[in-house]
């Protein structure tokens, strides 16, 4: 592409999407995320980058998702999706950050430099799929994304309001037509179709009942479940709450992140004792379950619980299908409750890998197994299956003994019900409901598999989150000097104590996690560690107080 062709890049930026802020913005664990009013020039530039990426990938389709996921409504964000439906290749995160932060005057030359650096053939066709969440700022940002694509002569296709996992799915299908049809309807056909197929093979028995309450976080996931609800043929009786009406604000006092972090039930949901509730997040890529008991206590069933449920069921099916030579593994982060890790390794005898926070790290580690299950405690996760596993299970479903065939056919439905590209609240909801039905258990029985260690998460605002460096999958702190020694000293005074700190991927805060033998001890341990972070890592504002 001759330099004169890049003039339109500057013209679009100057006339329609000028850079009006000097705030430095970084491509974090889930792309760029900040106040929506700071993002228009960034999203326009990511449209440019998506076209370059598409051409580097020989014209394969790239995705752009406009969302700030579980953040509150004033925020927004953008992330790029690679051709297989995975997160943007990590080496490109620095390129994205550089392009987002240059001045408008340098945009043309920097774009030319990046094209040369990545050796993009600009004569190739380029295709970019664009999706957005329900935020009122999303349509304007989606338009900026389209303009970025058009400025470099790429072809944008706008999907309108979709869940983040739907966009990942559509990108994957567009580049691999064996995976499915790259439309919202194609997504329903595959994932919801597989759920109905498997449920017709499983009788409802034991303590399981088909009623499920859902907290939609006033976001897109609840809206899509409202569409799906009509086609479930009675296999699941969905009662949907927080669908965005009646003044409900996106993710405000509701949704998976609120439920997980605050350990409180969301507002806007009618509660019946021991009735299971699934809470989605704002863009539909996280899910946690909970119930309220007869004393109004909330009992959380988070990503760790979902992961252990999936691991136990898939292990059972592999045994029944006599496919135990397939290597099953589970991937967690340091946030996983210690009790869940012990249960998986000692009871289920499934190997566990621990990786850095961020779904891209979990997804990559899961690919090293024939069947890899990964979940963050926050409810973001899925299952990935190697071609070897799919082929072996398919062969057993045709040629095995009757009982083996039956188990293999259930596994094939299970695979189709899974969105392998990324954590998907809707897909995960159907997986969980399938397993609870197959086992004939209710939420109390699900909870009884192991007892969580009480835990607490806190945030400490700091001048610069990059002052904190970590190692050992973020479980140990390497800077600032003296902080890890202080954490070790504090932890040593608590029974079953464990704590770690890590810089947020999205804001200038340090996240503190602690667990101990009692809730009182976990709360106190978290507060003591938070004070150490404040003192040694440049805390801002008021020093955290110890619980009384």
């Amino acid at each position: 592409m001759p330099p004169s062709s890049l003039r339109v890049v500057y013209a679009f930026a100057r006339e329609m999407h000028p850079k009006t802020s000097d705030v430095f913005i970084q491509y974090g664990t889930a792309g760029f995320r900040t106040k929506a009013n700071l993002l228009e020039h960034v999203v326009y530039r990511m449209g440019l980058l998506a076209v370059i990426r598409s051409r580097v990938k020989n014209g394969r389709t790239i995705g752009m998702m406009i969302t700030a996921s579980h953040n509150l409504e004033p925020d927004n964000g953008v992330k790029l999706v690679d051709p297989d439906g995975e997160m943007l290749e990590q080496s490109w995160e620095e390129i994205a950050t550089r392009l987002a932060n240059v001045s408008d005057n340098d945009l043309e030359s920097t774009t030319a430099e990046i094209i040369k650096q990545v050796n993009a053939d600009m004569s190739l066709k380029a295709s970019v799929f664009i999706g957005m969440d329900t935020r009122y700022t999303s349509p304007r940002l989606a338009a900026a994304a389209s303009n970025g694509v058009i400025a470099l002569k790429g072809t944008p296709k706008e999907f309108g309001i979709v869940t983040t996992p739907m966009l990942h799915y559509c990108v994957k299908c567009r580049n691999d037509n064996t995976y499915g049809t790259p439309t919202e309807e194609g997504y329903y056909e595959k994932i919801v179709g597989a759920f109905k197929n498997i449920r017709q093979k499983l009788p409802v028995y034991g303590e399981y009942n088909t009623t499920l309450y859902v907290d939609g976080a006033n976001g897109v996931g609840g809206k899509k479940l409202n569409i799906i609800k009509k086609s479930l043929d009675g296999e699941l009786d969905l009662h949907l709450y927080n669908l965005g009406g009646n003044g409900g604000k996106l993710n405000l006092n509701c949704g998976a992140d609120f439920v997980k972090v605050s350990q409180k039930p969301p507002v806007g949901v009618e509660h019946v004792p021991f009735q299971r509730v699934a809470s989605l997040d704002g863009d539909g890529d996280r899910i946690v379950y909970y119930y309220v008991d007869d004393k109004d206590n909330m009992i959380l069933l988070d990503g760790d619980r979902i992961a252990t449920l999936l691991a136990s069921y898939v292990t059972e099916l592999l045994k029944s299908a006599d496919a135990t030579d397939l290597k099953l593994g589970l991937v967690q982060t340091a946030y996983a409750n210690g009790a869940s890790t012990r249960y998986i390794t000692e009871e289920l005898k499934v190997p566990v890998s621990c990786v850095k926070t961020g779904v891209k790290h979990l997804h990559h580690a899961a690919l090293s197994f024939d069947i890899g299950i990964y979940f963050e405690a926050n409810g973001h996760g899925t299952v990935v299956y190697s071609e070897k596993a799919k082929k072996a299970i398919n062969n057993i479903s045709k040629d095995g003994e009757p009982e083996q065939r039956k188990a293999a056919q259930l596994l094939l439905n299970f695979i189709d019900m899974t969105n392998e590209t990324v954590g998907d609240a809707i897909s995960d909801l159907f997986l969980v409901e399938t397993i609870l039905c197959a086992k004939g258990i209710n939420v109390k029985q699900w909870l009884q598999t192991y007892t969580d260690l009480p835990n607490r998460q806190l945030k400490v605002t700091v001048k610069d989150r990059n002052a904190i460096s970590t190692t050992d999958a973020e479980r140990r702190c390497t800077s600032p000097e003296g902080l890890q020694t202080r954490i070790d000293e504090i932890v040593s005074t608590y029974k079953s104590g464990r704590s770690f700190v890590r810089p947020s991927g999205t804001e200038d805060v340090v996240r503190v996690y602690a667990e101990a033998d009692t809730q009182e001890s976990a709360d106190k341990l978290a507060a003591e560690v938070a004070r150490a972070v404040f003192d040694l890592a440049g805390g801002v504002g008021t020093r955290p107080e110890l619980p009384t």
Side-chain angles (χ1 to χ4, degrees):
M1 182 176 268
S4 60
S5 310
L6 292 179
R7 283 187 195 142
V8 71
V9 166
Y10 171 63
F12 257 120
R14 187 191 62 202
E15 296 300 325
M16 299 180 72
H17 311 296
K19 185 174 185 286
T20 56
S21 161
D22 289 331
V23 175
F24 180 80
I25 182 164
Q26 191 171 355
Y27 200 100
T29 47
F32 295 104
R33 196 177 292 180
T34 187
K35 296 288 172 242
N37 60 358
L38 299 174
L39 272 172
E40 194 170 328
H41 74 280
V42 175
V43 177
Y44 166 69
R45 292 158 184 226
M46 288 309 100
L48 304 174
L49 192 66
V51 170
I52 297 168
R53 182 73 179 155
S54 174
R55 289 180 173 138
V56 165
K57 291 293 184 179
N58 295 317
R60 296 177 84 204
T61 296
I62 297 296
M64 289 182 73
M65 186 67 199
I66 311 296
T67 183
S69 187
H70 57 277
N71 288 34
L72 295 178
E73 204 160 272
D75 292 351
N76 215 323
V78 58
K79 64 175 179 175
L80 268 59
V81 179
D82 259 354
D84 288 332
E86 296 177 14
M87 301 289 191
L88 177 68
E89 184 185 308
Q90 212 167 338
S91 64
W92 279 59
E93 292 177 10
E94 179 275 324
I95 298 171
T97 300
R98 178 164 38 123
L99 188 62
N101 288 286
V102 296
S103 69
D104 286 339
N105 287 337
D106 292 333
L107 181 59
E108 196 177 322
S109 60
T110 302
T111 303
E113 284 165 18
I114 289 168
I115 289 167
K116 191 175 176 186
Q117 177 190 338
V118 299
N119 198 24
D121 180 352
M122 298 304 280
S123 67
L124 291 173
K125 287 184 175 179
S127 161
V128 181
F129 282 3
I130 300 165
M132 63 180 178
D133 70 12
T134 56
R135 291 163 207 270
Y136 62 89
T137 54
S138 291
R140 181 168 53 82
L141 294 177
S146 276
N147 285 341
V149 175
I150 292 163
L152 281 183
K153 296 187 165 57
T155 305
K157 179 175 179 180
E158 294 197 45
F159 281 73
I161 293 173
V162 286
T163 67
T164 294
M166 282 177 179
L167 185 81
H168 282 256
Y169 172 88
C170 289
V171 170
K172 165 84 170 170
C173 293
R174 178 68 183 81
N175 294 307
D176 173 8
N177 61 15
T178 65
Y179 194 70
T181 308
T183 61
E184 188 176 323
E185 293 71 26
Y187 170 94
Y188 297 144
E189 199 175 297
K190 181 176 182 184
I191 287 173
V192 184
F195 171 71
K196 290 200 291 191
N197 281 342
I198 204 168
R199 285 293 282 260
Q200 281 154 17
K201 296 170 188 168
L202 297 170
V204 174
Y205 81 103
E207 297 297 317
Y208 178 77
N209 71 72
T210 57
T211 302
L212 174 67
Y213 287 16
V214 180
D215 158 30
N218 295 311
V220 58
K223 290 183 186 302
K224 299 307 181 188
L225 277 177
N226 211 13
I227 295 168
I228 291 167
K229 181 181 174 179
K230 299 173 180 67
S231 66
L232 288 176
D233 303 335
E235 298 296 346
L236 197 57
D237 179 20
L238 295 176
H239 294 240
L240 305 174
Y241 300 89
N242 294 333
L243 297 183
N246 303 322
K249 295 275 193 204
L250 182 70
N251 296 319
L252 182 63
N253 299 325
C254 62
D257 192 61
F258 171 80
V259 171
K260 169 65 181 165
V261 174
S262 71
Q263 300 190 22
K264 292 176 186 166
V267 299
V269 177
E270 172 196 341
H271 288 106
V272 175
F274 304 107
Q275 168 61 53
R276 69 186 183 283
V277 187
S279 252
L280 318 186
D281 72 335
D283 69 331
D285 66 358
R286 291 183 182 186
I287 183 170
V288 296
Y289 274 71
Y290 73 89
Y291 66 93
V292 174
D293 68 14
D294 49 5
K295 295 184 180 67
D296 263 356
N297 299 310
M298 190 198 86
I299 290 87
L300 180 67
L301 296 140
D302 62 6
D304 296 339
R305 293 278 175 186
I306 294 171
T308 54
L309 189 72
L310 291 174
S312 68
Y313 186 61
V314 173
T315 300
E316 284 171 26
L317 288 182
L318 288 173
K319 277 183 187 158
S320 300
D322 197 20
T324 47
D325 56 326
L326 293 175
K327 192 181 172 194
L328 172 72
L330 202 139
V331 186
Q332 296 183 316
T333 70
Y335 284 108
N337 197 282
S340 76
T341 311
R342 274 198 297 277
Y343 171 73
I344 295 156
T345 52
E346 293 171 16
E347 299 290 323
L348 298 180
K349 310 283 192 231
V350 169
V352 174
S353 298
C354 184
V355 298
K356 281 170 68 175
T357 303
V359 75
K360 61 192 174 191
H361 304 300
L362 290 107
H363 191 94
H364 181 73
L367 295 171
S368 64
F369 299 103
D370 293 323
I371 299 175
I373 298 169
Y374 70 82
F375 263 86
E376 294 182 291
N378 63 27
H380 197 172
T382 190
V383 189
V384 290
Y385 311 86
S386 67
E387 284 309 312
K388 173 190 166 185
K390 288 177 181 173
K391 197 171 174 184
I393 293 162
N394 194 40
N395 287 342
I396 294 166
S397 77
K398 291 172 183 164
D399 305 327
E401 297 297 323
E403 282 305 306
Q404 294 171 353
R405 284 207 308 271
K406 192 175 163 189
Q409 282 157 3
L410 285 173
L411 266 171
L412 290 176
N413 285 141
F414 207 74
I415 291 168
D416 275 345
M417 215 190 322
T418 308
N419 186 348
E420 294 181 67
T421 64
V422 74
D424 181 341
I426 291 174
S427 163
D428 291 340
L429 180 150
F430 288 133
L431 293 174
V432 168
E433 292 301 315
T434 295
I435 299 168
L436 296 178
C437 179
K439 290 176 174 282
I441 61 173
N442 60 26
V443 277
K444 284 191 288 180
Q445 291 164 313
W446 179 11
L447 186 76
Q448 284 161 6
T449 47
Y450 63 86
T451 303
D452 270 329
L453 284 164
N455 58 88
R456 177 63 63 203
Q457 290 186 50
L458 297 174
K459 290 196 287 193
V460 181
T461 305
V462 291
K463 288 193 197 86
D464 178 15
R465 62 182 155 167
N466 296 317
I468 298 270
S469 304
T470 63
T471 187
D472 186 22
E474 301 180 310
R475 290 177 287 194
R476 306 282 298 169
C477 209
T478 52
S479 68
E481 196 176 336
L483 179 56
Q484 187 58 52
T485 305
R486 181 74 191 110
I487 293 170
D488 290 342
E489 287 168 359
I490 296 166
V491 167
S492 69
T493 64
Y494 288 86
K495 189 178 176 188
S496 302
R498 180 171 78 94
S499 183
F500 67 91
V501 302
R502 55 175 284 273
S504 163
T506 52
E507 50 188 325
D508 273 326
V509 299
V510 176
R511 300 191 186 277
V512 175
Y513 177 87
E515 58 187 35
D517 63 330
T518 68
Q519 191 62 56
E520 188 183 348
S521 292
D523 291 348
K524 197 171 173 210
L525 171 56
E528 282 198 62
V529 171
R531 285 160 76 98
V533 169
F534 187 91
D535 295 344
L536 295 170
V540 173
T542 309
R543 190 172 186 245
E545 291 182 7
L546 292 175
T548 50

